[in-house]
Amino acid sequence: MPSHALKRSTLLALCACVLVAQSMVAAINLLIPQLGSSSLRPSHSELLWMVDAYVVAFAGLLIPAGALGDRYGRKGALLTGLTLFAAGAATSALAPTPALLIAGRGLSGAGAALITPATMSILMHLAAPERRTRAMASWTLALGLGGLAGNLGGGLVGQFLNWRALFAVMVPLAALLALAVAVTTPRTERAPGNNPDPLGALLLTTGLVAVLFGIIEGPAYGWGSPRILGAFACGAALVALFTLHALRSPAPLFDPRVLGSARLRSATLGMATGFFGLFALFYVNSQYLQVVKGYGAALTGIAIAPLPIGMALAQKLAARWAHRPRGVIGGGLALIGAGLLGASTATAGTSYGAYACWLLVVSFGTGLSMPALTVGVVSSLPAHQAGLGSGLGTSAREIGAALGVAVTGTVLASHPDLAHGIGPALRTVAVVVLAAAGAVTAGYGSSTRTPTPAPTPPRESTLAQAPRP
């Protein structure tokens, strides 16, 4: 399929899939009070895993899911992901016990892990080189709109409907998206030389899940507890085993030596940094508006609207300055940090208008930096491994998001109440974002040209070529 084959209908269908998958990360957060008092009678730990099972499965499976899409077909992976997403939503909607609801959330997360890298990889294959940054800006905007849709949908359901309605509506919605993809999206060329590498996929996935478990549960059990230290140690050991396996295997899931590229490392760190700040804000925002400002759940969902607005406004500048990725990325991440510092000054007496201005700054920085970072990660790998690159970048985003929530929750827990903890929490996150922004900008190199995709190796070769530094 030629690179100029990206049509508006295809772009809209793919972005809609990403929007729906991302919405389920945030939506359930606004249903926690209703779930806690529901007939399921979940324990505190079960309630946490009703929220986190989706994210753990989503982030843990992204890299092997991207590789599977490259090997067996990206459109097929996307349709399979939508099917799993719908099956998990149906299981959650009908769940008679907390365990089944958690299982349904995990199944939907596995579907999202297939959906997200497949959509980005298809876009990268269909868009002409000069349109890739614009396509990635639309894809990034869809992520932001997914956050808005999740907050709004979760708020409306939490205030006016039963929690089961949120999951029930996802089943026909996923079916409609699958129909739209089947009609509008062409099949892209497969990469039959890519090896799914079952052992490597198992080692990497279980390692990432262990690390995510430690990050998510750290605030609850204490960062120095044996359970959390054991999870991190297990995760590190499994990732190290994956690295050894991949270096020795003639056909690994991906060659770890690609991370020798300073640009790839910096782009991956940049994506994690952006979502670290963004999801820290998501976590604080809902509590600030509901607890400190006294907003209802539905109004809280609506009040986050400035975030996608800022991303949409940044799209044109991101595309116009695509030839200067270093400045765009550094400036965007710096705006995220500055916006978080501004939001940290909000109190009960702060007007919503003033608070919303800081949300706009954060979202504008996200919309400015994320398209260039996404292109930087994906184009650092050979074209036949675009799905794997997408999985790597999205894993960085999800791990950054989980860290943002964990760090924010830890700082909040160290203060006597929410009102006194919000400022220090956001300032802590802002300092980390600004420091990381400097490291990303320095590591991204002084070149003003957008990195070009590495050439596709001969079909019989399965090792990823090392990108140019």
Side-chain angles (χ1 to χ4, degrees), residues 156-248:
L156 290 172
V157 169
Q159 191 157 337
F160 300 113
L161 298 172
N162 184 274
W163 61 267
R164 295 182 188 273
L166 175 68
F167 301 109
V169 76
M170 291 295 155
V171 179
L173 182 55
L176 285 174
L177 289 174
L179 178 61
V181 168
V183 171
T184 66
T185 305
R187 295 188 181 275
T188 58
E189 184 180 355
R190 299 182 186 182
N194 283 358
N195 190 342
D197 185 15
L199 177 58
L202 178 63
L203 289 171
L204 184 59
T205 299
T206 50
L208 287 175
V209 167
V211 170
L212 283 164
F213 175 86
I215 292 170
I216 290 168
E217 298 286 357
Y221 290 97
W223 294 103
S225 69
R227 182 190 298 250
I228 301 306
L229 292 178
F232 285 135
C234 180
L238 288 167
V239 172
L241 284 173
F242 165 77
T243 303
L244 290 174
H245 163 76
L247 290 173
R248 294 176 179 179

Side-chain angles (χ1 to χ4, degrees), residues 65-91:
L68 284 172
D70 288 336
R71 175 65 177 84
Y72 295 108
R74 300 170 185 91
K75 182 176 179 179
L78 176 53
L79 292 172
T80 302
L82 288 167
T83 302
L84 289 177
F85 183 87
T91 302

